[in-house]
Amino acid sequence: MHITVHYLTQIRRAAGCASETLDVPTDCTLEVFLHQLTERHDPAFRALLVDDANVIRRSLLFFVGDDHVELSRALRDGEAISILAPMAGG
Amino acid sequence: MNRAYHLCMHSFSLTDDERAIYEWQLWVQGFGEAGQLRLKQATVLITRCGGVGGTLAYYLAAAGVGRLVLAHAGELRSSDLNRQLLMSHAGLGKSRAEQAADRLRAFNPHVEVVPIAENISLDNAERLVAMADLVASCAPLFPERLHLNRYAVAQGKPLVDCAMYEMEAQLTTVMPGRGPCLSCLYPSEPTAWQRQFPVFGAVAGTVGSLGAMEAIKVLAGLGEPLVGRMLLCDLATMAFRTMQLRRDPACAVCAGVQSASRAP
């Protein structure tokens, strides 16, 4: 199935693109999908997404469509994910 | 319409001069003189008063919020002047908080402005939040925002969180007990954030203006504040999205907190 991911803020810079579409297995959860993403990109991107123990960072926000979701969320064909590295610019 | 946040009622009224200044906003449906009095009776804590917080403070002064507490340490540097509209070249090397206060007093002498030359820390957050009816969180570091969040939730105060990065901005409103708090969203401190960030003043000012409108709405009981929602703005493409947020039932800060707000 096809999943599109949109990168926001610092994640966009690290990814080098605003969005991309991946082909993933049908039983894929958000967490599995995110780990697949880390394998496609460079260490700077990986460091934003996972910690030293390869655990997805809890300080990131993940949305499917417009809904804030948990890592266990099962993905469905055609869905769009947004990843937000939160901002604090003031 | 949201429920107006409860404020301590005083025997305030508007002077003729105030009615003249605010005449055009008194025409806003659902606002009127009752809404203006709510603003006049309110105290807002703004941390800090740079590109985002300075713009937010400017519009709260314009709207007639009665008392503005500005928490911002340090002296003005040249690199602040692309976005910090309350400052001036003549003020380089001088206190940011004092300059901001002087500008706001000159702009609207009906507003009481309290400059505090401190940034938010664990040592002062409880005391500064206690001074206000509403907190505007505009600091450039997550620890400051999370300290504010902790005490805003503990004291049942609404918090408007405004932030930006490069051409993007985000805005949400925390109403303790009615939606997620910042700790629900960031249970651990975001590690990637750096103190120095790319910024156009117009991006900072955009989210500062939006944050001022959120504060006015919460204080006056207007519209639908961003409780349980986050506005994301991409000024590169002019795409604006409103995302639905989840409250964390196990949140270390707000789990079990019930709403303290009530109808006026």
Side-chain angles (χ1 to χ4, degrees):
Chain A
M1 64 180 183
H2 295 285
I3 299 293
T4 298
V5 55
H6 299 283
Y7 300 115
L8 309 175
T9 65
Q10 294 152 296
I11 294 268
R12 180 182 298 175
R13 269 201 177 191
C17 61
S19 66
E20 58 186 324
T21 299
L22 277 69
D23 191 11
V24 298
T26 52
D27 58 351
C28 188
T29 64
L30 175 59
E31 185 169 16
V32 170
F33 176 81
L34 294 172
H35 281 292
Q36 286 191 15
L37 278 184
T38 66
E39 293 165 10
R40 291 172 57 91
H41 290 277
D42 64 17
F45 178 91
R46 180 183 171 82
L48 283 176
L49 211 58
V50 297
D51 63 18
D52 292 342
N54 202 34
V55 175
I56 303 294
R57 293 191 184 279
R58 297 186 69 205
S59 57
L60 299 172
L61 297 182
F62 303 105
F63 301 94
V64 174
D66 291 340
D67 294 329
H68 182 203
V69 296
E70 297 183 357
L71 293 173
S72 59
R73 167 71 152 72
L75 302 180
R76 292 186 283 271
D77 186 33
E79 286 188 317
I81 295 167
S82 298
I83 306 176
L84 173 66
M87 299 168 248
Chain B
M1 179 181 293
N2 73 294
R3 292 181 296 176
Y5 208 80
H6 175 64
L7 301 173
C8 296
M9 300 300 287
H10 302 289
S11 56
F12 280 30
S13 60
L14 298 180
T15 65
D16 289 345
D17 189 35
E18 288 172 322
R19 283 196 186 87
I21 292 171
Y22 307 127
E23 181 182 10
W24 288 36
Q25 70 194 38
L26 292 172
W27 300 337
V28 173
Q29 191 170 25
F31 184 68
E33 189 148 331
Q36 192 64 56
L37 282 169
R38 285 191 171 280
L39 297 189
K40 183 175 180 177
Q41 292 166 38
T43 297
V44 175
L45 168 66
I46 300 156
T47 70
R48 306 178 193 185
C49 48
V52 175
T55 306
L56 185 148
Y58 227 150
Y59 276 115
L60 293 189
V65 170
R67 190 163 179 254
L68 299 176
V69 180
L70 311 177
H72 197 149
E75 290 77 40
L76 184 68
R77 294 172 301 198
S78 293
S79 60
D80 297 329
L81 287 171
N82 79 322
R83 62 194 181 281
Q84 299 193 10
L85 299 186
L86 298 180
M87 312 299 167
S88 69
H89 281 274
L92 285 170
K94 298 177 184 171
S95 163
R96 293 187 183 100
E98 292 291 345
Q99 285 183 70
D102 288 345
R103 177 71 69 96
L104 294 174
R105 290 179 188 125
F107 180 59
N108 189 345
H110 296 283
V111 174
E112 180 187 356
V113 186
V114 182
I116 296 176
E118 300 173 35
N119 293 329
I120 295 297
S121 68
L122 258 184
D123 293 335
N124 66 13
E126 183 174 17
R127 168 172 54 87
L128 295 179
V129 170
M131 296 173 71
D133 300 301
L134 180 145
V135 176
S137 160
C138 310
L141 294 170
F142 276 102
E144 293 183 39
R145 291 174 184 262
L146 294 172
H147 295 328
L148 282 174
N149 176 73
R150 174 178 166 185
Y151 287 105
V153 170
Q155 297 177 25
K157 308 274 178 73
L159 178 147
V160 177
D161 188 68
C162 316
M164 54 75 52
Y165 172 82
E166 207 167 59
M167 300 278 277
E168 294 172 85
Q170 67 179 57
L171 176 66
T172 190
T173 295
V174 175
M175 285 283 215
R178 286 182 50 194
C181 76
L182 297 188
S183 185
C184 293
L185 306 180
Y186 321 126
S188 60
E189 182 188 329
T191 52
W193 184 256
Q194 297 181 339
R195 170 65 186 85
Q196 292 182 307
F197 50 89
V199 49
F200 281 116
V203 178
T206 296
V207 71
S209 299
L210 292 168
M213 200 59 238
E214 277 292 284
I216 291 166
K217 285 158 53 184
V218 171
L219 294 169
L222 284 174
E224 293 288 340
L226 287 163
V227 180
R229 299 183 294 152
M230 177 179 282
L231 178 68
L232 298 179
C233 313
D234 183 346
L235 276 73
T237 59
M238 286 301 178
F240 286 55
R241 295 172 69 188
T242 304
M243 318 303 266
Q244 304 296 318
L245 299 175
R246 282 184 302 109
R247 188 174 178 192
D248 179 359
C251 175
V253 171
C254 78
V257 171
Q258 302 296 312
S259 173
S261 63
R262 62 178 184 175

